[in-house]
Amino acid sequence: MSTKINIMKAATELFAIKGYEGTTLKDIANAVGIKPPSIYAFFEGKEDVLLHIYQEILDEHHKHLQDMLEQLKNGYAKNKLYGLLVTAAEYHLSEAGKMKLFRRLMLFPPEILQSEITESFQKLIAIERQAINAVFEEAIRNKEVREGKSEDMTTAFQCLMNGLFLESQYYDEQEFYLRLDIIWEEYWMGISRKD
Amino acid sequence: MSTKINIMKAATELFAIKGYEGTTLKDIANAVGIKPPSIYAFFEGKEDVLLHIYQEILDEHHKHLQDMLEQLKNGYAKNKLYGLLVTAAEYHLSEAGKMKLFRRLMLFPPEILQSEITESFQKLIAIERQAINAVFEEAIRNKEVREGKSEDMTTAFQCLMNGLFLESQYYDEQEFYLRLDIIWEEYWMGISRKD
Amino acid sequence: MSTKINIMKAATELFAIKGYEGTTLKDIANAVGIKPPSIYAFFEGKEDVLLHIYQEILDEHHKHLQDMLEQLKNGYAKNKLYGLLVTAAEYHLSEAGKMKLFRRLMLFPPEILQSEITESFQKLIAIERQAINAVFEEAIRNKEVREGKSEDMTTAFQCLMNGLFLESQYYDEQEFYLRLDIIWEEYWMGISRKD
Amino acid sequence: MSTKINIMKAATELFAIKGYEGTTLKDIANAVGIKPPSIYAFFEGKEDVLLHIYQEILDEHHKHLQDMLEQLKNGYAKNKLYGLLVTAAEYHLSEAGKMKLFRRLMLFPPEILQSEITESFQKLIAIERQAINAVFEEAIRNKEVREGKSEDMTTAFQCLMNGLFLESQYYDEQEFYLRLDIIWEEYWMGISRKD
DNA sequence: AATGAATGAGACTTCATTCAT
DNA sequence: AATGAATGAAGTCTCATTCAT
């Protein structure tokens, strides 16, 4: 029964590294220690494997998003936003394979799933955006950050997150966390209210 | 002949959208209006097409980098850095196919070229980093930006660039430029010296 | 158990419509509401299923032949021959699936069973032929039909039967019986003694 | 260039004997002396091979039908009808493979082409029926055959043809022609006008 | 320079079958 | 009696590539 899970794990890793088209069912089967036809006992085909993984990633991402939103409820904006970055970073690093695949699907979706993927990803981003925006609105009211439009701050913060999580792929864990802190410091220095 | 160029153009576009493994020589030939074997009159094979394109992208990138460095020679840091973003943005948008492939190769290189690609890309980034760093060093001296480590500022700026150019893929041209300006304003507000 | 019977029923229908090669054990299992491996509790394999069905058809055909021969014992030739056609027609229509498979196996036997099938079918035809021939011999003696060789009459009658039962596959029941009566009338008009 | 023709010839023969599902591309390729992928240089796939063959058979059948209709224009009904049988018999025997496949497709069409095949075959039969009916109408007027409905005579004659051409598959050429003549004699004896 | 014909390698997938449960 | 898991064998088809023209 764990074979299905093993297939998904192996396929996630392989799709992330070699891409959907670059990965063969043989690759996946080899990684699991079974033969290619056995995959069909659990999935309808290669596409179906990807779809299941994609669904799983989406579900987990939603759960993760809930955790992050929880994080954004109470406390100072500084802690909230930094916590957001760190939580997200930890998530990206702890689920390296899944997240690499997530980024790949987001940026370069395989033709077949293009529309489906694009749509659901945009929803995710919108939810995220709304939550972050709320933080900035409150932070402006509380004078935790300088004056400005919360919408624009959100735009800039999302850009920062995008940059960071693209970088999570280039650098090893240690270096990444170093950069994360540098970037955060630089960022907070610019956005925070100095008085 | 112009066929060779057409093949490279078509292949660039297709590799960018469908990936190297997801693109067939037939796809390329169809796009050009020839038959697959004709490609072998100009290239040694599929891999060779990618290698030529990759080389081309690299060369152009170097040229583009020269333009950018030129930009960074004289003037105020504010203009230099903003000019950098705009120049890069224009480049990314005018050569959409090439740049999409550039990002793809950078983030998800096909197995065969992995080491080669990783290496040369890191060189590019290093050059870029050095140039940007120089701008910040001077800007700190000139008190155009607040006090701080130029290295850290460079790190943050690169993160911003990465975020932006990842976003150049999500948003259409108009929206992208809007975001670019918002992000720049937010950024400059934070980094500039207020007195 | 009744499952065995259900398998044979479903397989008969499917072999008839889709052919032996065109039918999968999954098709059969689906039709029965079981899973493919369950078939192996009753049969040695796909070929064995066909063999059992084939044997069943053969046995029933022999029984049916006995009924028909019974029919040919007493009475007028006209009634005998017409009765033969009607009885056979009813049989073909009541056991549509079985008879469609019968025709298929007869005309286009799957390679594996070719020799076996050909042989046993020729026996059936020979028995049939002999019985019909006897009817004509007597009918000629009794002057129920015109003068002629009983062998030739049998040959013609068999041709008529073949034509009819090929047609039983084209036309729906109602139309088939209409044609049967027309053909019989035409036939009997030609063969009967007019005086 | 003749490879395409060879493929069609080989496939016709194999589809006739082993059925569409029972024939593999390897079987066909072997018969032609090529490898399976080469078939794709001429056809889109296995189904496409069948479709082309089917179209060819249909076209030839239409041509053959024209020949037969020509045959039915002038002369005595006896000669016309007997000529019809002989011409058809010669056709069936000279193109044994094609005609065996024709019968197979007519009686047991592979699922994919079922509707298409059924439709076009019914058209063929209707044309044939009309032509034969005309012969009987004239023959009744000319008192070449006994009184009766031409429609019914046509029905009976078609049944005879069906029977005969089903038999063309059982018996070898010599025996088939013997039976053909016997059946014809028996038939004509019954239908002709005796005075 | 271009391509029709051909193919080895290999991909995805189906299928009959086995076996432990 | 029934099936989930697994697989060897084989089928259809794609693809990069070669070669003669």
Side-chain angles (χ1 to χ4, degrees), chain A residues 121-168:
Chain A
F121 281 152
Q122 278 180 346
K123 276 187 202 157
L124 270 183
I125 291 170
I127 295 174
E128 202 185 67
R129 181 172 179 86
Q130 207 180 355
I132 296 172
N133 192 54
V135 174
F136 281 115
E137 280 181 353
E138 197 197 350
I140 294 169
R141 275 200 307 276
N142 296 355
K143 303 193 189 263
E144 292 180 80
V145 303
R146 59 166 166 71
E147 293 291 314
K149 291 191 208 160
S150 67
E151 291 284 344
D152 292 356
M153 290 177 184
T154 303
T155 298
F157 192 76
Q158 274 192 318
C159 175
L160 181 153
M161 285 184 84
N162 283 331
L164 256 174
F165 301 123
L166 185 149
E167 291 185 356
S168 73

Side-chain angles (χ1 to χ4, degrees), chain C residues 3 35 37-38 42:
Chain C
T3 301
K35 307 289 175 194
S38 304
F42 306 97

Side-chain angles (χ1 to χ4, degrees), chain D residues 26-111:
Chain D
K26 203 178 170 189
D27 290 336
I28 299 171
N30 281 347
V32 176
I34 55 174
K35 308 290 175 197
S38 301
I39 295 171
Y40 288 83
F42 305 97
F43 300 95
E44 279 168 35
K46 192 183 171 184
E47 196 178 323
D48 192 42
V49 175
L50 178 59
L51 254 129
H52 273 81
I53 291 175
Y54 163 65
Q55 196 52 248
E56 192 194 43
I57 291 181
L58 220 55
D59 290 347
E60 287 194 20
H61 218 84
H62 269 117
K63 251 183 255 164
H64 166 68
L65 213 56
Q66 294 310 318
D67 291 353
M68 296 211 315
L69 299 187
E70 205 63 33
Q71 192 120 198
L72 297 182
K73 273 190 180 156
N74 302 307
Y76 291 118
K78 181 177 183 181
N79 291 340
K80 286 183 200 167
L81 293 170
Y82 182 62
L84 196 67
L85 290 185
V86 171
T87 309
E90 275 165 0
Y91 183 54
H92 272 244
L93 291 169
S94 71
E95 301 268 19
K98 245 173 232 174
M99 282 305 103
K100 182 162 187 179
L101 180 53
F102 178 80
R103 287 190 299 271
R104 185 167 208 145
L105 292 178
M106 206 162 66
L107 286 165
F108 307 103
E111 257 179 332

Side-chain angles (χ1 to χ4, degrees), chain B residues 65-135:
Chain B
L65 213 56
Q66 294 310 317
D67 292 353
M68 297 210 314
L69 299 186
E70 206 64 35
Q71 192 122 198
L72 298 181
K73 272 190 182 157
N74 302 306
Y76 292 118
K78 181 178 183 181
N79 292 339
K80 285 183 201 168
L81 291 171
Y82 182 63
L84 196 67
L85 289 185
V86 171
T87 310
E90 277 165 1
Y91 183 53
H92 271 246
L93 290 170
S94 71
E95 300 270 17
K98 245 173 231 173
M99 284 303 102
K100 182 163 187 180
L101 179 53
F102 177 80
R103 288 189 298 273
R104 186 167 207 146
L105 292 177
M106 205 162 66
L107 287 165
F108 307 104
E111 259 179 331
I112 318 174
L113 309 178
Q114 189 146 34
S115 56
E116 198 165 351
I117 286 176
T118 307
E119 194 187 348
S120 49
F121 282 152
Q122 278 179 347
K123 277 189 204 159
L124 268 183
I125 290 170
I127 294 174
E128 201 185 68
R129 182 174 179 83
Q130 208 180 354
I132 297 172
N133 192 54
V135 174

Side-chain angles (χ1 to χ4, degrees), chain A residues 76-90:
Chain A
Y76 291 117
K78 182 178 182 180
N79 292 340
K80 285 185 203 166
L81 292 170
Y82 182 64
L84 197 67
L85 290 185
V86 171
T87 309
E90 275 165 2

Side-chain angles (χ1 to χ4, degrees), chain D residues 51 54-55 112-121:
Chain D
L51 254 129
Y54 163 65
Q55 196 52 248
I112 316 172
L113 308 178
Q114 190 145 34
S115 57
E116 198 167 350
I117 286 178
T118 307
E119 194 187 347
S120 49
F121 282 152

Side-chain angles (χ1 to χ4, degrees), chain C residues 46-100:
Chain C
K46 191 180 172 185
E47 199 177 321
D48 192 42
V49 175
L50 177 60
L51 264 145
H52 273 80
I53 291 174
Y54 163 66
Q55 197 51 247
E56 192 194 44
I57 291 181
L58 222 55
D59 290 349
E60 286 194 20
H61 218 83
H62 270 116
K63 251 183 256 164
H64 166 69
L65 214 57
Q66 294 310 317
D67 292 353
M68 297 213 313
L69 300 187
E70 206 62 34
Q71 191 124 197
L72 297 182
K73 272 189 182 156
N74 302 307
Y76 291 117
K78 182 178 181 182
N79 292 339
K80 285 184 201 168
L81 292 171
Y82 182 63
L84 195 66
L85 289 185
V86 172
T87 308
E90 276 165 1
Y91 183 52
H92 271 245
L93 290 171
S94 71
E95 301 270 18
K98 244 173 233 174
M99 282 305 102
K100 184 163 186 179

